[in-house]
Amino acid sequence: MIMTSTRSYNRIAFVGGASPEARQALTELVKTYGNRDPEDADVLVALGGDGLMLQTLHRNMRSGKPIYGMHRGTVGFLMNEYSRHDLHARLAAATDTVIHPLLMRATDVHGTVHIHHAINEVSLFRQTHQAARLRILIDERERMAELIADGVMVATPAGSTAYNLSAQGPILPINAALLALTPISPFRPRRWRGALLPDTAIVTIETLEHEKRPVAAVADHDEARNVRRVEVSSDKTIAMRMLFDPGHSLEERILREQFGY
């Protein structure tokens, strides 16, 4: 969901990445605008790359505070252009993009349940040289009795241009009520390229021969190893707000990506 912001954000909390560019930007901006405690701030401004933005979103997932990123890192798909000038005006003019994370519930071979959120994707990977054998159910109905592959992932619209795109998955408009189910190097069925699912779907992936072919499940950066069953769904109880400059919204970036090379 995208909306135009009408609020003014006077109390700013800055978060800086580890790169020299990010540290220098943090020093400059704090000197100009001050730096509030995140608990007391109207908005969080992240200085770095997409990795820092994902970390900031994870850490403030339930705060309801908007997050505005400025590119001072390596990959900056989720970031705005950096400038230390007119930040209050830029924040006031920014558009809101509301995104919902995925909820992963992974049960390992010992019966331990691992619960994590993912903003980009939940991925299952083979842990050894042998391909994974997986069974896929959608809303508890079997849709694929056996997938032999390096793995499979469930990606959000926000994450569809990340690992999902590298695995030849589809790019999803940010406001699409969809999830992408994308195989990773599929061997059987070789021609299966994945599926588009409603974001209300519950995706369940079961591992076959999990002792012989162990599989790990990863929600962005949180990993559970030796899983036997993974359930993935969109968590609509959490709504995260990202701010983008007019004309450079996440929706526009995703649209442009589809016509890029």
Side-chain angles (χ1 to χ4, degrees):
M1 182 171 60
I2 300 173
M3 64 188 87
T4 301
S5 172
T6 58
R7 293 186 57 186
S8 60
Y9 302 107
N10 296 316
R11 298 175 298 177
I12 304 172
F14 292 100
V15 180
S19 71
E21 296 84 358
R23 306 314 298 176
Q24 180 180 348
L26 179 63
T27 300
E28 293 175 348
L29 291 168
V30 168
K31 182 178 180 180
T32 303
Y33 301 98
N35 194 12
R36 305 297 289 261
D37 186 275
E39 295 291 329
D40 187 46
D42 299 319
V43 62
L44 307 178
V45 174
L47 307 167
D50 285 352
L52 178 73
M53 174 58 82
L54 289 176
Q55 290 177 17
T56 305
L57 287 166
H58 272 280
R59 290 171 181 166
N60 299 276
M61 190 172 286
R62 297 183 183 275
S63 72
K65 295 182 185 295
I67 300 174
Y68 180 86
M70 285 199 284
H71 188 205
R72 293 285 86 183
T74 305
V75 180
F77 188 83
L78 300 176
M79 315 301 276
N80 298 284
E81 293 287 336
Y82 174 73
S83 173
R84 60 188 178 92
H85 303 292
D86 303 318
L87 181 56
H88 285 127
R90 290 178 71 183
L91 292 172
T95 57
D96 269 17
T97 295
V98 178
I99 62 174
H100 304 283
L102 296 173
L103 177 64
M104 177 186 82
R105 182 183 177 90
T107 305
D108 65 26
V109 295
H110 305 293
T112 302
V113 178
H114 307 262
I115 298 176
H116 298 290
H117 282 94
I119 294 163
N120 275 353
E121 73 278 318
V122 170
S123 305
L124 278 75
F125 301 101
R126 62 184 175 95
Q127 290 180 200
T128 67
H129 65 282
Q130 289 189 299
R133 289 185 63 219
L134 307 170
R135 176 175 178 250
I136 299 175
L137 302 91
I138 308 299
D139 295 326
E140 292 300 327
R141 180 177 176 184
E142 182 182 275
R143 293 295 182 177
M144 183 166 287
E146 182 183 69
L147 169 66
I148 302 177
D150 281 353
V152 68
M153 77 180 78
V154 181
T156 65
S160 67
T161 56
Y163 186 27
N164 173 73
L165 180 59
S166 298
Q168 309 301 313
I171 296 175
L172 305 179
I174 191 61
N175 57 349
L178 295 171
L179 300 173
L181 178 64
T182 303
I184 304 169
S185 301
F187 180 69
R188 290 286 188 274
R190 193 181 298 274
R191 297 184 184 278
W192 187 61
R193 292 294 178 260
L196 291 176
L197 306 172
D199 65 0
T200 56
I202 299 175
V203 182
T204 301
I205 303 164
E206 297 178 346
T207 62
L208 307 176
E209 295 184 294
H210 49 255
E211 292 183 358
K212 179 182 178 182
R213 303 169 183 265
V215 173
V218 182
D220 282 351
H221 52 257
D222 293 305
E223 183 182 56
R225 296 181 69 80
N226 299 305
V227 299
R228 59 179 175 83
R229 179 182 172 94
V230 178
E231 297 174 4
V232 183
S233 60
S234 180
D235 190 346
K236 296 300 178 59
T237 68
I238 298 176
M240 295 170 289
R241 297 170 57 199
M242 300 176 65
L243 298 179
F244 292 93
D245 293 330
H248 298 278
S249 67
L250 191 55
E251 179 183 39
E252 173 63 22
R253 292 168 191 226
I254 289 175
L255 187 60
R256 286 203 309 263
E257 191 75 22
Q258 296 181 77
F259 293 90
Y261 297 92

